[in-house]
Amino acid sequence: MYLLMTFVVFAWGLEYIFAKQALNIMEPLTLVFFKYFIGFWVALIIKLKMEGKSLVRKKDIPLFLFCAMFGEIGYFYMEYSAMEFLPVSLITIVLAFVPALSVLIDKAIFKRKITKKIVAGILLGILGIVLVIGVDYKILFQGRIIGYLFAFGAVVSWNLYNFLTASLHDRYETATLTFNQITCSILLTWPYALSHLPEQGMFTSGVVAGILYLGIVSTGLGFLISVRSLHVLGPTVTAIFSNFLPVTTTLFG
């Protein structure tokens, strides 16, 4: 599971490059729809092969809709929107606070003890990210406040998604859980996306290849692994892997 999550970190780090390219021709929510529409078929094939045709219990539909709104749609919409106001390096530093918020949620809801080692580890991790990326502190004041609000909103959304998804894993297998979430994301985004499509001539081969990567690798495979990790490793440990995203983003950038 650790090896698979390491793969996801590299895959999601590379995502920023392709997403920024696609956002030059389309709106954030439209890109979210495209990547999940492609990821839908990846998740469907894996689900049918591994877990059969079982879908969702009616009583769990609201939870799946919340997962879609907070995780798939909310997180990526706010992350992509933040790219309009902040450098990617700053966004990834803000997203490094995901495990910090996860620890606080664990403490508030599940009454788990916050040790000094956990606090020190998170602070050192964030400091290490800043040092690795080499961000000049002056850049911190160059972004617009709305960009920071979008980025911190993404942090909150991702944590809500993680804990909601972890709570559903007792009733669903990984592929079915992922498939249901992606399906809800498509149902919630397609009306807006199809009414805000870019002109056909704006789709270059590079943009198309990037969107295919976002759908197949980042969404289809990436979310399957991430959802499984939430069950095996737990929300907080899974969130800690996000601390490495700035490093991989810088590496590929």
Side-chain angles (χ1 to χ4, degrees):
M1 200 69 255
Y2 285 106
L3 290 174
L4 288 172
M5 281 304 298
T6 300
F7 163 77
V8 171
V9 167
F10 277 92
W12 286 352
L14 186 57
E15 172 175 323
Y16 287 93
I17 311 302
F18 295 122
K20 198 166 184 65
Q21 180 178 326
L23 289 170
N24 289 328
I25 69 166
M26 66 180 67
E27 297 184 22
L29 204 58
T30 304
L31 178 57
V32 169
F33 168 77
F34 272 114
K35 63 182 286 186
Y36 282 105
F37 181 75
I38 297 170
F40 168 88
W41 298 103
V42 177
L44 176 62
I45 291 170
I46 295 174
K47 170 190 161 41
L48 292 177
K49 186 174 181 62
M50 298 179 62
E51 299 173 9
K53 298 180 180 180
S54 61
L55 288 174
V56 59
R57 300 179 180 91
K58 290 184 179 179
K59 65 178 182 180
D60 292 330
I61 290 177
L63 282 176
F64 278 111
L65 290 173
F66 275 117
C67 284
M69 285 189 288
F70 287 120
E72 284 89 347
I73 300 173
Y75 173 81
F76 285 107
Y77 173 76
M78 285 186 277
E79 179 188 283
Y80 293 160
S81 296
M83 289 183 186
E84 299 180 19
F85 307 99
L86 297 175
V88 171
S89 56
L90 280 184
I91 295 172
T92 52
I93 288 175
V94 174
L95 296 181
F97 286 90
V98 168
L101 183 57
S102 180
V103 169
L104 293 177
I105 294 174
D106 259 344
K107 172 66 175 178
I109 298 178
F110 302 104
K111 310 302 180 183
R112 292 172 183 167
K113 184 178 180 181
I114 302 177
T115 66
K116 293 181 179 179
K117 289 183 179 180
I118 291 177
V119 175
I122 292 173
L123 292 177
L124 288 174
I126 295 172
L127 177 61
I129 290 167
V130 174
L131 293 175
V132 169
I133 295 178
V135 175
D136 187 339
Y137 75 92
K138 295 179 182 179
I139 299 178
L140 297 174
F141 303 101
Q142 293 180 4
R144 300 179 187 176
I145 185 64
I146 189 172
Y148 286 102
L149 291 175
F150 274 127
F152 279 110
V155 171
V156 175
S157 292
W158 192 247
N159 271 284
L160 289 172
Y161 165 79
N162 281 348
F163 282 94
L164 284 171
T165 300
S167 70
L168 285 166
H169 234 307
D170 292 336
R171 303 191 288 278
Y172 297 91
E173 296 294 329
T174 300
T176 301
L177 181 52
T178 306
F179 173 79
N180 289 343
Q181 290 178 342
I182 291 177
T183 301
C184 288
S185 298
I186 293 172
L187 293 175
L188 291 172
T189 57
W190 76 265
Y192 181 90
L194 294 184
S195 63
H196 292 78
L197 292 175
E199 296 293 332
Q200 187 174 353
M202 300 177 71
F203 285 93
T204 64
S205 58
V207 170
V208 172
I211 293 175
L212 287 174
Y213 174 88
L214 294 175
I216 296 171
V217 180
S218 182
T219 302
L221 298 178
F223 267 91
L224 279 168
I225 295 171
S226 178
V227 168
R228 183 61 182 170
S229 177
L230 289 170
H231 179 60
V232 176
L233 303 180
T236 299
V237 175
T238 300
I240 288 174
F241 275 91
S242 65
N243 269 348
F244 297 97
L245 278 174
V247 180
T248 57
T249 302
T250 303
L251 175 64
F252 292 123

